[in-house]
Amino acid sequence: MAAAALRRAIAPGPTLLLRRQILVRLLSTNTQRQPQPTTTSPAELARIKNSIRSAATAPDDLAAHFLQALPHPAFLGDGPIFSLAVSRLVSAGRRDLVTSLLSTSLTALPAPHPSEGFLLRLIALYAQAGMPDHSLSTFRLVRPPTDRALSALLAAYHDAGQHDRAVKAFGDLPAELSIVPGLVSHNVLLKCMVATGDVAGARKVFDGMPDKAGVQPDIVSCNEVLRGYLNTTDYPAFDQLLKDVTGSKRRLKPNVTTYNLRMAALCAKGRSFEAEELLDAMSANGVPPNRESFNTVIGGLCKEGEVDAATRLLKRMPEVPRPGGKGVLPSSETYIVLLEALVQKRAFGPALEVCKECLQNKWPPPFEAVRGLIVGLVKSRKIKHAKELGLAMKKAAKGDAKYEWEKVEATAFQLALAESKA
């Protein structure tokens, strides 16, 4: 029965007719539909959700389970399960099922029509699936058109990498649909303009927001322009804008993104120790640093060859006060950047410890860095450690990679033997 329902639901139609199909479906069902009591028990709904979550569930079966659960209010309200289903179907190359399930979900809502919030969710889900044309079709179902819907559509274009399209939509849709763009829409516009490289244009929009649009920029607006200056290495403009917005005229309070951008700018100028000092300033100002904060500074210190300072900072991460009393856990990126720097610095002992932590966390360390580490350990007469690391890498490797690690070991020990005879 579920398979038959699936076949009926996924009858394909041209993408250009998507909006018309959805409208016809909505009009025909809204005149007939009455609230239906759900027949899916909580236990059955839980089983269906677990099936959707399971990687072993085939795409067609996942879609059938999704359709079976759709009438249940608790399922319709579960945004994360919708997102997970879309992600799994996209990974399987089944965007046809994404289209069918999301359009079918509209008719599962109580009469008279889907809410703006639900349509905004679908706009974002189509963007997640890399289907911005479907995001646009869904945007046009919002009645009356709103700034919230506009900002969701612009974000969908941004996430799909269609930054020029977002800029054009901002220029065309408000006039066409009598929408007054608000702060969020302007901030997405700034993000897209910076992504296209038009930093000067973004700054012009930023400066004109109060008078031309009646919208006061916030710290998010500022951060988008700061990112543009950082990308173009225009550090004088970066510093001046930061001074202007945090000064007495605007008094915007920097957030964690602002600090991260400041630290990135300092590291790019070879002033990573100053960036490290900002970590303490953040906490003192009530802005706890996050993982990106530490990764930025650790990466900067490593580039400057300050691996000892980078290692000390890594050890500090779990101790940094944060709301709830927990520190910041390092990520694979943190360890990999530090590992590569330690190997380059020939600090093989600390590098071995970092590599072991990567393996314990099931983060595959980069091949070249570990190869350099094994060779360095052999040259340092730490043969036992080199063999243990080689064995651990072979256990973690899959397929042909195991053979590559055997070659690395053989080469390293041949090199050590040759040097011992020299």
Side-chain angles (χ1 to χ4, degrees):
M1 183 179 297
L6 171 63
R7 286 193 295 271
R8 290 194 298 271
I10 65 173
T15 301
L16 293 177
L17 296 178
L18 173 67
R19 182 171 170 245
R20 181 181 299 175
Q21 292 170 342
I22 294 174
L23 284 170
V24 169
R25 180 179 290 170
L26 285 172
L27 289 171
S28 64
T29 54
N30 284 345
T31 58
Q32 303 171 9
R33 181 173 52 206
Q34 296 296 327
Q36 300 276 333
T38 180
T39 58
T40 306
S41 68
E44 178 67 7
L45 183 62
R47 185 192 66 78
I48 290 172
K49 288 186 177 183
N50 287 335
S51 296
I52 292 174
R53 294 187 184 103
S54 173
T57 304
D60 288 321
D61 293 333
L62 184 154
H65 291 314
F66 191 101
L67 288 174
Q68 182 184 353
L70 263 182
H72 201 294
F75 186 82
L76 281 167
D78 193 338
I81 202 71
F82 270 63
S83 179
L84 178 61
V86 167
S87 177
R88 292 205 50 226
L89 291 174
V90 170
S91 297
R94 297 300 304 273
R95 285 183 172 84
D96 59 319
L97 292 180
V98 172
T99 302
S100 300
L101 297 186
L102 295 187
S103 62
T104 302
S105 69
L106 289 172
T107 63
L109 292 165
H113 53 69
S115 67
E116 180 189 34
F118 191 81
L119 290 172
L120 297 189
R121 186 204 297 180
L122 296 192
I123 290 172
L125 288 171
Y126 279 127
Q128 177 186 332
M131 303 166 71
D133 289 341
H134 291 64
S135 293
L136 175 60
S137 297
T138 308
F139 162 79
R140 292 193 176 277
L141 295 176
V142 179
R143 289 291 180 269
T146 65
D147 176 52
R148 286 182 66 204
L150 176 64
S151 64
L153 178 63
L154 297 179
Y157 288 154
H158 174 271
D159 294 344
Q162 298 185 353
H163 307 119
D164 287 323
R165 187 177 183 183
V167 174
K168 187 176 187 305
F170 186 94
D172 295 342
L173 291 176
E176 174 190 338
L177 301 173
S178 300
I179 299 173
V180 179
L183 178 61
V184 176
S185 292
H186 275 86
N187 285 348
V188 181
L189 172 66
L190 293 173
K191 182 190 292 286
C192 291
M193 294 183 75
V194 167
T196 66
D198 186 11
V199 181
R203 179 61 189 268
K204 186 176 180 181
V205 170
F206 175 85
D207 289 337
M209 284 170 65
D211 296 333
K212 293 182 179 179
V215 176
Q216 288 295 331
D218 64 359
I219 194 62
V220 176
S221 318
C222 173
N223 289 342
E224 299 301 345
V225 182
L226 287 176
R227 193 182 305 279
Y229 287 141
L230 178 63
N231 293 343
T232 56
T233 66
D234 190 349
Y235 302 123
F238 182 103
D239 294 337
Q240 186 61 51
L241 176 59
L242 189 61
K243 181 179 178 180
D244 291 344
V245 300
T246 58
S248 57
K249 185 177 179 180
R250 285 183 171 163
R251 297 183 182 276
L252 294 180
K253 183 180 179 180
N255 62 13
V256 66
T257 301
T258 317
Y259 279 104
N260 289 347
L261 291 169
R262 287 182 63 190
M263 289 186 286
L266 288 169
C267 290
K269 292 185 283 188
R271 295 159 57 184
S272 298
F273 280 107
E274 290 180 50
E276 185 178 5
E277 292 174 358
L278 274 181
L279 291 171
D280 296 324
M282 292 174 69
S283 298
N285 290 329
V287 184
N290 60 14
R291 186 177 292 161
E292 182 183 347
S293 311
F294 283 94
N295 285 354
T296 298
V297 180
I298 288 173
L301 290 169
C302 288
K303 285 182 181 179
E304 294 177 34
E306 301 291 347
V307 292
D308 291 339
T311 302
R312 288 195 300 270
L313 187 56
L314 174 69
K315 294 178 179 178
R316 272 185 56 195
M317 290 179 67
E319 303 170 1
V320 174
R322 286 184 60 81
K326 295 183 179 179
V328 180
L329 294 178
S331 65
S332 58
E333 178 187 351
T334 318
Y335 280 99
I336 288 171
V337 167
L338 185 55
L339 173 62
E340 291 175 333
L342 288 168
V343 172
Q344 187 175 8
K345 195 77 171 179
R346 302 179 64 81
F348 300 121
L352 179 60
E353 296 305 313
V354 170
C355 191
K356 286 180 178 178
E357 291 192 51
C358 284
L359 292 171
Q360 287 173 359
N361 287 291
K362 297 183 179 180
W363 295 328
F367 181 88
E368 290 298 328
V370 181
R371 180 169 65 177
L373 175 55
I374 289 177
V375 171
L377 290 170
V378 170
K379 286 184 177 181
S380 303
R381 301 295 189 268
K382 297 179 180 179
I383 308 298
K384 179 181 177 182
H385 295 305
K387 286 184 176 180
E388 290 175 349
L389 179 56
L391 179 61
M393 292 303 301
K394 282 189 288 186
K395 286 183 178 180
K398 297 179 181 179
D400 294 338
K402 293 180 182 292
Y403 174 66
E404 292 298 322
W405 283 115
E406 290 176 358
K407 290 198 299 183
V408 169
E409 284 184 299
T411 302
F413 291 118
Q414 287 175 2
L415 179 62
L417 180 62
E419 289 191 352
S420 65
K421 292 180 178 180

